[in-house]
Amino acid sequence: MSVIVAQALHIFGFQSRVANNICFFDEQIIVYPAGNSCVKYHIEQKWQKFIPGSEKSQGMLALAISPNRRYLAISEILQDKPTITIYELSSVPCKKRKILNSFDFAVQEFISVAFSPDSKYLVAQTGPPESNLAYWMWEKQRTMAIIKVDVQNNPLYQVSFNPQDNTQVCVTGYGIFKLFRYTEGTLKQTNFLRGEPQNYLSHAWLSEEKVVVGTDTGKIYLFDSGDLRWETSIERKEIVSEVDKEEPQQDSESLIEFPAHNSPEISTEVVCETEAQQQAFLPRVSAIAAYSKGFACSAGPGIVLLFEKSDEKEGYRESREIRIPQDQCSNDPNQSDKQDVVCIAFSPAEETLLISTTKNQLYLLSISAAEISKGETAHFEYLNHPIHSASITGLDTCIRKPLVATCSLDKSVRIWNYENNTLDLYKEYQEEAYALSLHPSGLYVLVGFADKLRLMNLLIDDIRTFKDFTVRGCRECAFSTGGHLFAAVNGNVIHIYSAISFENIINLKGHNGKVRAVAWSMDDYKLVSCGTDGAVYEWNLQNGKRESECVLKSCSYNGVAISPDAKVIFAVGSDHSIKEICDSAILREVPTFEVAYTFIVVSHSGRMVFAGTSAGTIRSMKYPLPVHKEYNEYQAHAGPVTKMSITADDQFLLTSAEDGCIFIWKVYDKEGRGLKRERDVPYSDEVLITRTDMEEKTQIMLELKTRVEELKMENEYQLRLKDMNYNEKIKELTEKFIQEMESLKTKNQVLKADKEKQEAQHQEQVAELTEKQAREVQDLESGNNQKLLLEFEKYQELQMKSQRMQEDYEKQLHEMEEHKNQALEELTEYYEAKLLEKTTQLEEAQDESRTQLREFEETKKQIEEDEDREIQDIKIKYERRLREERESNLRLKGETGIMRKKFNSLQKEIEERCSDIEAMKVEQQKLQGIIKALEKDIQGLKREIQERDETIQDKEKRIYDLKKKNQELEKFKFVLDYKIKELKKQIEPRENDIKAMKEQIQEMEGELERFHKQNTQLELNISELRLKLKATDREMHKEMQKERDMEALVKRFKTDLHNCVGLIQEPKKLKESIRDIYEKYVQKADMVEIVGVDTDLHQEYTRQREHLERNLATLKKKVIKEGEVHRADYVRIMQENVSLIKEINELRRELKVTRTQVLDLQSTLGLLMKRKKQPAQSLAPSPERHTPTILRLNPEEETERIIEMQRLEIKYLQDQMQGQEKALAVRPTSGSKLPLLELDRSSREQSQ
């Protein structure tokens, strides 16, 4: 045994294909299958305990828990043999109690298992073609009975025991609903179906005689003692899309028995079409469970209905609808409720309801909480987390966080926390995910899809794509140990990218087949890869060349690992061995002992090696690897292991497989070396969040804070107002009550005086009434005494008659009994004599037969030739005699039958006489009862007289009290009416004020909402414009850099060419210089790569161009819309410009006029001549004449400046408009870098 031990801590997974896959151990603990084990899970405390599967198990098929919750039966297949293993759940850990694996009947698999009510017997149903039903006393491993349920090889689904009878069993299947009872060592069918056979998918016992059954056409039948008592049909509650219709078609096709090619039956296509049409409109009742009020059943995808007992005799009514909730993380939220319910289970106290679905999900509903909101449609909740429903294709861990990332063929990527055993992030996509790698920081994840390789950011509540790489069908990817590089596999090529600049650094080419696995060394200088071509290569990432290689074409490798010192490579493949490779040579081959390894992982300490097998088991070994079977093997998955990963501290091992389950293992080293180290750096709590999300959340927080403050202010203000109003009302009410108290005191005194007078009158009336009553009582007593005497005389006469009748009937009875005894004695004597005669005859016949047999034997010895003839004669004789004897026996039976009939007729006469006697006795009892009733009536009349007297007195008192109360209430009513009138007068003006204030508040809120919408729209526009500007700046800088590089290259080429021209006289040197230039600037390898890259670029360019043309069309539409919006502004600006131009033209005209006037004045005055003659005077002109010219020139300069300013503004606005139109026409909507269009290139060439 190995010193390396792995202990399972937690399982994320579920196996929905197992029949009866949910069982309640108690109110809080459930048992369900996951991988190749069963899990005991506590619903509230979230812990798991495991019941590991049997060694070399090929998967579980069915579960069953005993009614006393002590035993669990698991149907599985061990080494191609069906086996039923029974575990004792009460022991810790759970122990195997019995294993049933030797059967004296044909069996391939047990599809359903059930315990009897007393948990002593076990019944199991085998699948077709055997279809045997077996009945065991499982503790003694004794088979009690076996019966073949079906001959036509129809599929069977479920078997169950009657919950109150150990001997009754129910089986359902396609066209099969049979009840069996165990009697006299065999199982006998007790019911026979009438009508057309249905596809009975599920059933449940409601009582000792009632069974409810569901079909695939949405019908529910209730059978009582095998007879149909009630039926109903379930209809779809919503319109189903075409995608939903395809799934039921597939289910229905699997349940159809297709006819043979030569049969005259309907073709398979017609059958499928009709079945699919039915399935499209009718839900499948695939699961039913009974509880105290009725039963629960599935009603198509994502729906469970509760039925309760109705007021009818044997009917049930639908009481509640429960749905599977929509999943917001999915790419199609409606897809989550399109999964069929496989199993339904109620807790023992019926407080919780659990269901399982075809997508390996478990849902929970609290029935008490659901009954509170009974009017609404209830929704299930996830039992723990949404888990994978298909094969897991990628699994990876990180260093800085306790996270594990997984991707699956169910199109989802999930991030788990293996410390808290929780699901942190989860998102579904349109395509299937084939490979995954988690960055060592735990902040990024690399996922390979069918069309692209995507680098994603792990945000606080989302997985968001950051960068796409054109690597199609990436089946393997891996971050380096430092996280600055990552490798992506595309067929037989490994691309190495930089995780910082996202550039393709190196392409590693050398594999002839598909690359199946890659592994980085600890220092990130080396990369190891293996493929289906049987090659294991070690690559040097500094130069992109192979350092070592090991090729074995007979082996197809599945997994590869590298030791921490990067000296030894471990590879596993199809040749059932682990290979240790060092320096291109295989050091050792360790056999796997008839199992193929699918994955291998080495611990960071280098002392532990873990391998996953095609059978789903995990093996732990120490390094150096053992040659013999020195390893620990653990039953884990129900399918081949796909991925394994060990954490950076060597504490946890994580495994995944094709069954969709994830196992978390705790790793122990018995020697204790290399595992007890503690983490120097704790796990980080940092998460990524985008700036926009942060700003939105802060904005929402600020708004909520302001709203809370406003509400506080309003509440305080309203409380103060209420306090003021209540204080005023209290003062008014106290004053009023004081006044009323004084008035009531005076009234009370007056009423006391009236009361004394009325009491005196009442006493006089009472005395008169008592006298009248006494007289009436005396009269009644005298009359009743006379009646009693008459009745007593009648009673005595009737008693005498009854005595006479009794005596007569007793005499007749004695006589009849004597006759009967005599007749019986005679008959018995007669028949005993006959019997003796017949017995003597039989004895004589037997003696004769014996003698004849002896004679026959003697003659047989003597005469062998005539043996056949004599035998025939003797046979005929004895057959005649036997017939005669049989006839005589039949005659005797007939005579005995006649005598029995006579005897029965006599007994009937006796019974009739007895009934007459009983009738007379009943009449006597009736008469006695009448007498007693009359006596009771007399006593009752006396009591009534007394009670009536008492009631009269009480009523009179009551009348008096009510009169008093009536007077008081009338007074109080008058006071209250007055108060109500006053309060109404006070309330009306305040209500009017409140209405006015409410209207004002609503108007203000509407204005606030409008302002908020405008602000948000403006902020969005600003952010979009900023992003566009940044993108254009980036592109401009890149193009300028490219231009500079090209110019430098051209200059270098020119200088080399110039030097080459200098050697034109020397042909050899000229040839060598031209060859050098050619090798320097044109390389063969580059040309080959350029041609390949050009083709890819051309395809990418055409795709991007189509994408841009679509974006151009949408953007042009947007521009047209925005142009229509802004046209009014442009018209207004143009109108203002026109008005300004008009003003400018008017100013110009005024200038011309003023200039002409100045010239006219100058000519008239002759100033020019004077200036020529008198230069001195012109140099010093008078201030009186110079000032007006200055005043006239200032307006001219000002007008010219204004004109120039307007022109500049017009040009600036025109440039801005043109720039925005170009940016909208050229730029794509996405932030990705795309190739430039011809329009943008031509504009840039013109600008240069």
Side-chain angles (χ1 to χ4, degrees), residues 448-461:
F449 292 96
D451 58 345
K452 288 180 182 178
L453 177 70
R454 293 176 183 171
L455 180 65
M456 303 181 183
N457 291 333
L458 299 181
L459 303 180
I460 190 169
D461 55 356

Side-chain angles (χ1 to χ4, degrees), residues 1022-1067:
I1022 290 159
S1023 63
E1024 284 178 1
L1025 289 167
R1026 281 177 182 166
L1027 289 168
K1028 288 175 184 176
L1029 278 168
K1030 285 178 183 176
T1032 50
D1033 288 335
R1034 284 177 198 157
E1035 283 186 0
M1036 187 179 74
H1037 287 306
K1038 282 188 178 178
E1039 290 295 326
M1040 286 169 74
Q1041 186 65 36
K1042 283 180 184 177
E1043 191 178 353
R1044 286 179 202 139
D1045 296 337
M1046 289 298 291
E1047 283 174 358
L1049 195 139
V1050 168
K1051 282 178 184 178
R1052 274 186 260 127
F1053 183 78
K1054 280 179 181 179
T1055 53
D1056 292 338
L1057 194 64
H1058 182 70
N1059 295 328
C1060 182
V1061 169
L1063 301 168
I1064 200 162
Q1065 299 298 327
E1066 298 174 3

